[in-house]
């Protein structure tokens, strides 16, 4: 109950996605929480980096090209190319 409040993504949905993988047989609630939290941190990081590119274009709204620029420029996101 306490850990559910720390995650913003719906844990039930994350668990359903984990169970959709045929290679996964069991997933503890703690594992689902960690996956949800890691996903939230990843999205937050890439969004902040992409927002920098939006600001350079004098915009406040993220566009696909901002995400593409962040992915291309930042080594941490190389796996997304």
């Amino acid at each position: 109950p306490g850990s559910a409040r720390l995650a913003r993504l719906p844990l039930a949905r994350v668990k359903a996605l984990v169970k959709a993988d045929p290679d996964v047989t069991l997933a503890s609630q703690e594992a689902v929480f960690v996956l949800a939290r890691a996903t939230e941190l990843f999205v937050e990081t890439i969004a902040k980096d992409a927002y920098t590119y939006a600001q350079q274009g004098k915009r406040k709204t993220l566009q696909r090209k901002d995400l593409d620029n962040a992915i291309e420029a930042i080594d941490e996101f190389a796996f997304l190319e």
Side-chain angles (χ1 to χ4, degrees):
S3 64
R5 293 182 194 158
L6 297 175
R8 295 181 201 130
L9 292 175
L11 296 181
R13 180 68 55 112
V14 174
K15 187 167 189 156
L17 289 170
V18 169
K19 284 186 170 186
D21 186 339
D23 295 333
V24 176
T25 54
L26 291 174
S28 69
Q29 194 64 20
E30 291 84 8
V32 171
F33 173 77
V34 169
L35 282 170
R37 192 68 184 116
T39 302
E40 292 168 7
L41 292 172
F42 171 75
V43 170
E44 182 180 333
T45 301
I46 197 168
K48 283 181 179 179
D49 292 335
Y51 185 66
T52 302
Y53 290 98
Q55 286 180 317
Q56 289 174 359
K58 300 191 188 306
R59 291 177 282 105
K60 292 184 179 180
T61 303
L62 289 182
Q63 296 178 356
R64 169 71 189 258
K65 64 183 175 183
D66 301 321
L67 289 167
D68 290 341
N69 288 336
I71 290 168
E72 190 175 306
I74 300 170
D75 291 338
E76 293 174 345
F77 303 135
F79 72 97
L80 297 172
E81 290 179 351

